[in-house]
Amino acid sequence: MTNFRLHFALTGGALLLSACLSGGETPLGLAGNDSPTVTNPSEEPPEVQADPGDGIRVLSNRADLISGGDALVEITAENPANLQNVKVKLGTVDVSDQFALRENGRYMGLLQGLALGENQISAVLKSTGRITAKVINHPHGGPVFSGPQVTPWTCNNEQALDAQCNQPPEYTFQYLPASKLRHFLSQTRPNPQRQDIDFAPTFLPYDPANPPPADEIAMTTTDNGVTVPFIVRTERGVQNRDRYQIRSLYNPAEDWKPWKPQPQWNGKLLVHHGGNVGVTYGPGNPPNGDISGTAPDGAEFLLGDSITVALGRGFITLSTALANLGHNVNLVTAAESLMMAKERIVEQYGELRYTIGTGCSGGAIAQQHIANAYPGIYQGIIVQCSYPDVWTTATQFADYNLLNSYFGNRYQGVNEAENARQFPNFNPGFVPYAQWSPVYGHLPVNPVLSDNAFFPKAYPYAFNCRNLRGAATPYDPANNPGGLRCGLIDYMSTLFGLRTPDVWSENEKKIGRGFGGIPLDNVGVQYGLGALKQGTITPQQFLDLNRDIGGFDVDIQRVATRTKADPLALTNAYKTGAVNTAEHMSNIPIIDLRGADPGIAHDAFHSWQMRARLKATQGHHDNHVIWFGQLVLAGDSTYSTEALLVMDRWLSAIEADSSTAPMPEKVVSNKPAAARDKCLSLQSIYAEDGPFVPLSGNLFYPDPIIPNARSSSIPKPPPEAGQIFDVVSNQFCGLDFSSFDSSGQSAQLTGPVASAQHVLVQTRFGTPRTVAGDDIRTLVNKCVLKPVDPADYAGIPAIRDAAAFVADVKKIFPNGVCDYSKPGQGVVPTQTWLKYGTATEKVVGGQPLPAKPANSQQGWFSPAFR
């Protein structure tokens, strides 16, 4: 029998919105969620032998992780003649009318009416037998794998239909003005009240019933060669109790079905994220804009706007409130929200080729967290002003907080949560600034900025209880010890677990339960050890510092004793991926965009920290590219767009690779020439997609805001000059080409230049823990202790009486000091795709999901990525 396959699917049955806006969606995205229409959905029909090529494919997600009551399903037959008069049932209900042979030559459809829990789909093909598939459906409001949801949760959307905040999706249209300059000049106005500027919005509202003249709408040509008016449809809705946003180029006069998308869509998805870190108790808004949406609306063309560029090239763009770290620190619900949103995109818009992530600060953390703990959600990530994770960064910021208090490097009134006693005058025992930096491992600027911007989110007090709206009474240590604790740590209790009775505080004893476990620790840490060895602080300063530095109690208040991690929380931080060990990231390309230090608390160090983690687990960092530049945070305002284009080419090359090579090999072997380290944005003048004029944002690309002022008119120097420029500029990236010169003569020239970059161009400072002896990965949240060894202090000229000094160190560290030659305590491999229970049953620390059901989730990416 000829082995070719015809594909089919299940269609129909959904209530439609207006033909202009709907594109075939169900009005709520809730079909079958609360009022199932299927009788006996788990009843299994009798099996009859079918051909090997016959099958039922669940395209929109794993068959066991479906949500919202619908799924895009495809039926295949080894013999296409057997696809006539197919009888299909969902349980005992005939749903054959939802099948059709679609325009793409496949038998496809959106299966409606799934009941909560297990559902059985069966199909009888002509002349063969019955085929079956099992689908497990979860509530549209979640959870799917994240376990019991955060409570309380107060809906703030007026259209909410239930306590899960479910509502019908809403659709609006916008257009990009044809004359950007005229639009900018006419719509940008000063705002006297705020004493700043209201920039002209990037897009203007579009009414399909009363559209503007066609010549006022910009045109765009997508990367698959389709030229259309730059009209965007925005879909906003609620999934998993929180908002999502999907945007796409859209023709309001045409329909859009998952088996027949409008031709301008290129099948690609860009997910963008928000910044900061925080918790919440109600729905938020999906973030917009590069640099974590910190650019004012309308100023994106100055500061970088890869999202509009992506739309113009034919991408769909997505953001969810739960994947915004500033709204939700929990990496599990962040991943869950993206999974559910991707499922909706496949069901309503069509199958994806690949997904790219982008985002700065918290947006970079979210990507790197999720890529390691839930691989497959992204196929490539672009991280700006990045940190590798929240919980080793929390160790750095906790150290900064302690050192700031010790040095007196604090400013009263900046942080209202701080107690006045925590603002001493400058410590007379240290020379301000000059002796602080060698202990911080950084200039004193970032420690203060991180202390004021980020560290307060750890406090469990009322000011962190956003969106609470009176649904609970916040924790107060004196007046309400049983109240809701709203800090980062307690928000992670499903991942980390609760503190055990042997370490309970008085308040925990009063209420009879533990607070959230703490995965941070500084027992045995010798603060300033490197500075002591360098001679920048004295032995007495070293002793005084380590004697008095102290730690935190369970309320994150300073105490005289060192912080002790809770063992379960510590181990679970590694197991769940909350500490990013980078063990599961070899399958994705990463482009890291980095600005100059001090970086507004976003140290350049973190890019190289992540690179070191990748090399330790993979044996290489060939999938990791760093673009360093002089613009704070982002490196250059052109980088986000340029990185999108390079990442797109990288993934397209992988997609076209039909070899059987493992995915990590495909990632490296298909790396384009432009995906290489660079340390001066002037190198972008030579970009294949450019030239990109440094610091010009989107003034020139893709279309100049000033007509005819195209960057392509800038003459390029000859290629030979570009090669020389690359060699010279890469010296400032710390790449010493003398290592390739066996004679060693070139080291006399390039060695000093490569070293000078640490001060002049790209600083790459460390942290208090690297000064204390940890390596650049800083993966040790709690160290293994070793006895105080006199040899560790030998050769330090300032130590006059070695025996007395060592005796003092032993008094400060009676149980020993950190041994950074060994892995930290509690370190275990990160496990991927963990499930944390059900809506009512919690599995602390998670357990692995079963193996992915066969014939499911193919709609998430092209075959090369499977």
Side-chain angles (χ1 to χ4, degrees):
M1 183 159 39
T2 304
N3 185 18
F4 57 14
R5 198 173 284 179
L6 189 63
H7 307 279
F8 299 33
L10 314 166
T11 146
L15 296 173
L16 301 178
L17 295 175
S18 72
C20 179
L21 299 181
S22 75
E25 296 83 349
T26 58
L28 301 182
L30 306 175
N33 193 40
D34 298 307
S35 302
T37 59
V38 177
T39 344
N40 300 324
S42 299
E43 177 183 309
E44 294 199 22
E47 292 288 343
V48 180
Q49 183 63 40
D51 285 339
D54 300 346
I56 298 175
R57 295 179 176 180
V58 180
L59 300 175
S60 48
N61 201 351
R62 286 177 50 139
D64 57 347
L65 299 180
I66 291 292
S67 63
D70 53 8
L72 187 65
V73 178
E74 174 185 17
I75 298 179
T76 65
E78 188 162 343
N79 182 350
N82 291 330
L83 293 175
Q84 300 175 26
N85 301 316
V86 179
K87 186 79 168 180
V88 183
K89 288 189 175 182
L90 178 58
T92 59
V93 175
D94 190 328
V95 290
S96 302
D97 60 348
Q98 297 187 25
F99 291 86
L101 184 63
R102 304 300 178 182
E103 292 89 337
N104 59 6
R106 300 163 63 182
Y107 212 79
M108 302 180 67
L110 190 61
L111 178 61
Q112 306 281 343
L114 296 171
L116 291 177
E118 188 173 307
N119 296 259
Q120 202 76 23
I121 308 169
S122 63
V124 179
L125 306 184
K126 180 182 177 182
S127 302
T128 58
R130 176 178 281 111
I131 51 178
T132 63
K134 182 172 71 174
V135 172
I136 300 177
N137 176 51
H138 302 79
H140 183 83
V144 179
F145 56 69
S146 62
Q149 295 175 306
V150 167
T151 56
W153 190 266
T154 305
C155 300
N156 53 28
N157 50 328
E158 294 180 359
Q159 300 83 0
L161 302 174
D162 52 33
Q164 296 294 89
C165 311
N166 290 315
Q167 68 165 74
E170 299 173 334
Y171 303 93
T172 57
F173 289 92
Q174 301 82 35
Y175 73 96
L176 191 69
S179 174
K180 296 180 185 178
L181 181 61
R182 183 176 62 193
H183 168 66
F184 177 79
L185 294 176
S186 64
Q187 299 293 321
T188 299
R189 299 180 179 87
N191 188 318
Q193 291 182 334
R194 293 200 314 265
Q195 296 184 340
D196 63 8
I197 296 173
D198 288 333
F199 288 97
T202 303
F203 290 90
L204 292 175
Y206 178 93
D207 181 358
N210 186 26
D215 61 0
E216 293 184 8
I217 303 173
M219 301 295 291
T220 186
T221 300
T222 65
D223 62 20
N224 54 3
V226 178
T227 300
V228 293
F230 209 132
I231 300 170
V232 171
R233 189 183 77 165
T234 300
E235 173 187 340
R236 287 175 64 92
V238 172
Q239 286 181 317
N240 213 12
R241 307 191 305 173
D242 219 328
R243 295 183 179 92
Y244 69 88
Q245 174 181 281
I246 299 169
R247 305 184 78 197
S248 61
L249 285 176
Y250 205 95
N251 182 348
E254 293 183 3
D255 201 0
W256 187 317
K257 298 289 186 181
W259 41 83
K260 189 184 179 183
Q262 292 187 4
Q264 67 273 13
W265 183 36
N266 59 20
K268 305 169 190 176
L269 175 64
L270 179 69
V271 180
H272 48 101
H273 301 79
N276 213 312
V277 63
V279 304
T280 191
Y281 295 89
N285 287 309
N288 281 306
D290 287 329
I291 318 181
S292 299
T294 55
D297 182 31
E300 294 94 336
F301 72 93
L302 293 172
L303 299 176
D305 186 9
S306 67
I307 299 166
T308 299
V309 169
L311 286 166
R313 291 176 65 84
F315 281 71
I316 285 177
T317 66
L318 166 70
S319 62
T320 73
L322 285 175
N324 175 5
L325 197 78
H327 174 72
N328 170 45
V329 72
N330 188 324
L331 77 95
V332 177
T333 49
E336 186 176 61
S337 77
L338 292 180
M339 179 195 73
M340 295 173 75
K342 286 187 69 170
E343 178 187 328
R344 178 164 180 84
I345 288 171
V346 174
E347 290 168 354
Q348 303 297 336
Y349 295 83
E351 296 166 276
L352 296 165
R353 292 169 56 190
Y354 47 77
T355 299
I356 299 172
T358 188
C360 168
S361 185
I365 292 176
Q367 291 180 78
Q368 297 189 136
H369 263 315
I370 293 167
N372 193 50
Y374 290 90
I377 287 179
Y378 312 102
Q379 281 64 65
I381 59 176
I382 301 167
V383 294
Q384 298 172 296
C385 43
S386 67
Y387 303 97
D389 59 52
V390 171
W391 298 100
T392 53
T393 305
T395 292
Q396 177 187 352
F397 289 174
D399 287 344
Y400 281 164
N401 185 278
L402 294 173
L403 290 168
N404 287 344
S405 293
Y406 181 80
F407 291 141
N409 187 23
R410 316 199 70 161
Y411 301 92
Q412 197 162 5
V414 174
N415 177 9
E416 298 300 330
E418 294 287 357
N419 189 308
R421 65 180 173 82
Q422 293 181 298
F423 292 93
N425 295 322
F426 285 171
N427 187 326
F430 279 73
V431 178
Y433 305 109
Q435 285 190 308
W436 295 349
S437 290
V439 178
Y440 285 130
H442 208 289
L443 298 174
V445 178
N446 275 1
V448 172
L449 291 173
S450 67
D451 217 17
N452 293 324
F454 303 129
F455 191 77
K457 306 297 177 63
Y459 299 127
Y461 304 129
F463 63 86
N464 277 326
C465 297
R466 293 181 300 168
N467 284 326
L468 195 56
R469 299 190 172 206
T473 305
Y475 171 80
D476 183 283
N479 302 314
N480 190 28
L484 179 67
R485 290 169 60 88
C486 297
L488 301 180
I489 292 172
D490 289 271
Y491 208 74
M492 298 287 286
S493 63
T494 299
L495 278 73
F496 293 166
L498 302 178
R499 284 159 47 89
T500 52
D502 57 305
V503 295
W504 281 0
S505 64
E506 289 303 314
N507 277 340
E508 288 168 294
K509 293 174 183 176
K510 283 181 185 177
I511 64 175
R513 58 179 171 82
F515 297 146
I518 299 174
L520 311 179
D521 191 283
N522 69 341
V523 174
V525 175
Q526 297 184 83
Y527 291 100
L529 179 61
L532 171 65
K533 291 181 177 181
Q534 293 171 354
T536 52
I537 65 172
T538 68
Q540 191 58 52
Q541 287 174 318
F542 172 81
L543 294 171
D544 291 344
L545 169 63
N546 283 286
R547 183 183 299 112
D548 299 335
I549 188 69
F552 297 105
D553 64 13
V554 71
D555 289 341
I556 318 300
Q557 296 297 299
R558 273 194 77 205
V559 292
T561 55
R562 297 284 183 115
T563 308
K564 293 184 179 180
D566 294 293
L568 179 62
L570 182 68
T571 299
N572 281 346
Y574 292 94
K575 172 189 173 185
T576 61
V579 169
N580 190 348
T581 54
E583 293 162 304
H584 308 290
M585 300 180 72
S586 62
N587 286 344
I588 61 166
I590 306 166
I591 300 179
D592 187 319
L593 313 180
R594 174 60 65 184
D597 271 317
I600 316 180
H602 295 76
D603 315 357
F605 153 82
H606 290 293
S607 295
W608 282 265
Q609 175 192 32
M610 190 67 197
R611 171 165 287 185
R613 294 184 185 185
L614 291 167
K615 186 172 183 180
T617 58
Q618 300 173 181
H620 67 85
H621 52 73
D622 295 338
N623 61 323
H624 186 250
V625 177
I626 298 174
W627 289 357
F628 182 85
Q630 288 61 57
L631 178 66
V632 67
L633 298 179
D636 196 282
S637 57
T638 64
Y639 272 0
S640 61
T641 292
E642 186 182 354
L644 171 68
L645 303 178
V646 172
M647 180 62 73
D648 190 20
R649 278 207 308 281
W650 198 343
L651 294 177
S652 291
I654 296 171
E655 181 185 39
D657 186 342
S658 59
S659 73
T660 57
M663 180 56 64
E665 292 183 18
K666 288 186 179 184
V667 169
V668 175
S669 64
N670 290 285
K671 185 177 179 179
R676 57 184 177 139
D677 289 348
K678 60 182 175 183
C679 288
L680 292 173
S681 55
L682 283 170
Q683 290 169 278
S684 296
I685 293 175
Y686 299 93
E688 181 178 337
D689 303 294
F692 289 96
V693 178
L695 305 178
S696 65
N698 288 87
L699 287 171
F700 297 110
Y701 187 93
D703 296 305
I705 189 169
I706 301 174
N708 302 316
R710 297 185 179 275
S711 60
S712 57
S713 63
I714 300 172
K716 286 188 179 181
E720 294 79 9
Q723 293 170 11
I724 294 170
F725 179 76
D726 279 351
V727 170
V728 173
S729 64
N730 275 330
Q731 301 310 307
F732 295 100
C733 199
L735 302 176
D736 187 353
F737 282 83
S738 64
S739 60
F740 300 101
D741 177 9
S742 58
S743 70
Q745 294 179 357
S746 63
Q748 298 178 16
L749 172 64
T750 62
V753 175
S755 299
Q757 60 85 22
H758 290 283
V759 176
L760 299 177
V761 178
Q762 183 271 102
T763 49
R764 270 199 286 171
F765 292 117
T767 72
R769 294 295 168 102
T770 61
V771 176
D774 200 357
D775 65 44
I776 189 174
R777 294 173 298 158
T778 52
L779 272 171
V780 177
N781 267 19
K782 180 178 179 62
C783 67
V784 171
L785 298 177
K786 66 176 184 177
V788 175
D789 185 353
D792 290 343
Y793 316 99
I796 300 176
I799 298 177
R800 303 298 175 85
D801 186 340
F805 178 82
V806 170
D808 286 338
V809 173
K810 288 181 177 178
K811 290 178 184 177
I812 297 170
F813 298 102
N815 297 316
V817 295
C818 286
D819 183 355
Y820 287 113
S821 69
K822 297 178 180 178
Q825 295 189 47
V827 176
V828 297
T830 295
Q831 298 182 29
T832 63
W833 285 94
L834 295 180
K835 181 175 182 178
Y836 294 82
T838 65
T840 56
E841 297 180 358
K842 180 188 294 187
V843 177
V844 172
Q847 61 186 13
L849 284 166
K852 183 168 73 173
N855 292 325
S856 65
Q857 207 178 31
Q858 291 97 333
W860 271 35
F861 27 64
S862 297
F865 296 102
R866 293 173 194 164

